[in-house]
């Protein structure tokens, strides 16, 4: 059973994992070697991670010129969100989507996770539970009034409609949500994946939106959350913590720290969590999964 499960997971694409029987952690970090032509963004896209993820995992590596032979860490270990494992879960704090596809009888349940781009300041991606309503292949883009107004003020009014093609910011595929004006879509600017750069929509790498487009049924539940702190539990019960910069960019306060400490101690049942260690992780908020020992 164990060897069969491992063989199946080894055959899955990057970012696809079998759900763990124990705990809530999937994947593992690894390193690759940069070539002379690589940028850190090239490497991120090849390994299905976004801008902020690759930057935080490699703080001392140049984004534009890592250099031939440079070891680059790929942050490919994930704590699953503490939400029902069904449909799509989007964690805006993490800049990442989790998709739990329906599986046939006898198939092992799995999760697919993809980096995303979300809304920037003043255009926050809305939170809450919604669902997919329609799939559009080669969508046209109708610039919203806010964009038209800003462009007109610059003296560069946009067209009424942008047809499908390389200039279309929606890319080749779009999945409409039951929130007026909001979509999950591709992009013609893939370097922005893993950033807060959109006007609220959820962007994906072109190859990622294509991979899920035909497999996400209309009516799929979409749960959009803002969870800047995640607690993880390994198969052996060991505790882990991961923190991201809060979307409102407010520092985590004492109340947050005490709540996290309480959750860790409640799960472990015995002993006390390391106050200073948890405090340091929240202060750094660099997305790294840190064991609590």
């Amino acid at each position: 059973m164990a060897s069969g499960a491992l063989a199946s997971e080894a055959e899955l694409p990057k970012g696809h994992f079998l759900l763990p029987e124990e705990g809530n952690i999937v994947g593992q970090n690894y390193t690759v070697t940069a070539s002379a032509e690589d940028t850190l963004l090239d490497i991120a896209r090849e390994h299905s991670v976004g801008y902020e993820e690759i930057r935080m995992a490699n703080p001392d590596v140049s984004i534009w010129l890592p250099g031939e032979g440079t070891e680059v860490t790929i942050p490919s270990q994930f704590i699953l969100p503490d939400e029902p494992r069904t449909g799509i879960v989007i964690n805006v704090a993490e800049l990442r989507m989790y998709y739990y596809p329906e599986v046939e009888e006898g198939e092992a349940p799995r999760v697919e996770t993809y980096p995303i781009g979300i809304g920037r300041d003043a255009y926050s991606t809305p939170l809450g539970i919604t669902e997919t309503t329609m799939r559009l292949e080669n969508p046209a883009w109708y610039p919203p009034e806010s964009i038209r107004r800003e462009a007109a003020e610059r003296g560069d009014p946009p067209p009424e409609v942008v047809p499908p093609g390389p200039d279309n910011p929606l890319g080749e595929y779009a999945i409409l949500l039951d929130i007026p004006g909001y979509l999950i879509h591709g992009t013609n600017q893939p370097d922005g994946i893993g950033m807060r750069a959109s006007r609220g929509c959820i962007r994906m790498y072109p190859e990622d939106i294509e991979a899920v487009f035909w497999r996400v049924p209309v009516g799929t539940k979409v749960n959009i959350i803002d969870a800047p702190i995640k607690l993880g539990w390994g198969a052996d019960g060991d505790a882990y913590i991961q923190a991201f910069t809060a979307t409102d960019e407010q520092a985590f306060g004492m109340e947050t720290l005490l709540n996290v400490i309480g959750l860790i101690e409640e799960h472990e049942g015995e002993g006390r969590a390391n106050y200073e260690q948890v405090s340091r992780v929240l202060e750094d908020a660099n997305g790294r999964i840190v064991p609590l020992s």
Side-chain angles (χ1 to χ4, degrees), residues 6-248:
L6 289 173
S8 298
E9 183 152 295
E11 296 169 359
L12 293 175
K14 288 184 177 66
H16 294 216
F17 306 97
L18 299 179
L19 289 180
E21 295 183 4
E22 301 289 340
N24 62 349
I25 298 177
V26 297
Q28 59 183 4
N29 298 335
Y30 57 94
T31 61
V32 298
T33 303
S35 70
E37 297 80 18
D38 282 333
T39 68
L40 210 56
L41 299 183
D42 294 331
I43 296 171
R45 183 172 179 180
E46 181 181 353
H47 294 274
S48 196
V49 297
Y51 172 84
E52 286 293 340
E53 291 173 313
I54 200 75
R55 184 187 64 81
M56 291 190 297
N58 300 275
D60 299 322
V61 177
S62 167
I63 287 287
W64 301 113
L65 191 63
E68 184 172 11
T70 297
E71 292 293 314
V72 175
T73 297
I74 306 299
S76 191
Q77 186 176 57
F78 308 99
I79 297 175
L80 299 178
D82 188 20
E83 299 290 335
R85 296 176 184 178
T86 181
I88 292 172
V89 178
I90 293 169
N91 186 4
V92 295
E94 190 181 359
L95 293 160
R96 186 158 281 273
M97 168 194 293
Y98 295 84
Y99 174 44
Y100 300 91
E102 295 184 4
V103 296
E104 300 292 335
E105 185 175 354
E107 283 188 320
R110 61 186 186 274
V111 61
E112 305 171 14
T113 182
Y114 302 95
I116 57 172
I118 63 168
R120 63 180 184 268
D121 291 345
Y123 296 99
S124 298
T125 300
L127 306 179
I129 295 177
T130 183
E131 65 179 17
T132 61
T133 60
M134 186 181 297
R135 292 179 294 211
L136 298 176
E137 187 176 10
N138 294 317
W141 181 56
Y142 297 84
E145 180 58 33
S146 60
I147 290 181
R148 300 186 60 78
R149 183 171 57 252
E150 290 176 10
E153 291 172 354
R154 297 194 304 268
D156 184 26
E160 293 287 339
V161 59
V162 178
D167 296 327
N168 190 314
L170 300 184
E172 297 182 4
Y173 302 95
I175 300 173
L176 276 63
L177 301 178
D178 194 23
I179 306 174
Y182 290 90
L183 308 84
I184 301 171
H185 62 81
T187 180
N188 63 347
Q189 296 180 323
D191 285 354
I193 299 302
M195 296 183 183
R196 297 174 173 89
S198 79
R199 288 181 174 253
C201 285
I202 296 150
R203 299 176 178 175
M204 300 179 70
Y205 284 130
E207 59 273 20
D208 289 347
I209 184 67
E210 183 177 8
V212 302
F213 183 76
W214 296 110
R215 297 187 296 111
V216 174
V218 169
T220 296
K221 175 183 172 182
V222 179
N223 186 6
I224 306 175
I225 64 172
D226 184 6
I229 303 168
K230 296 200 295 181
L231 297 178
W233 318 105
D236 54 4
D238 288 347
Y240 299 80
I241 187 171
Q242 183 179 32
F244 303 89
T245 302
T247 51
D248 60 6

Side-chain angles (χ1 to χ4, degrees), residues 233 237 239 261-273:
W233 318 105
I261 291 286
L263 289 172
I264 295 168
E265 293 179 348
E266 179 181 343
H267 178 86
E268 294 188 329
E270 298 180 3
R272 298 188 61 81

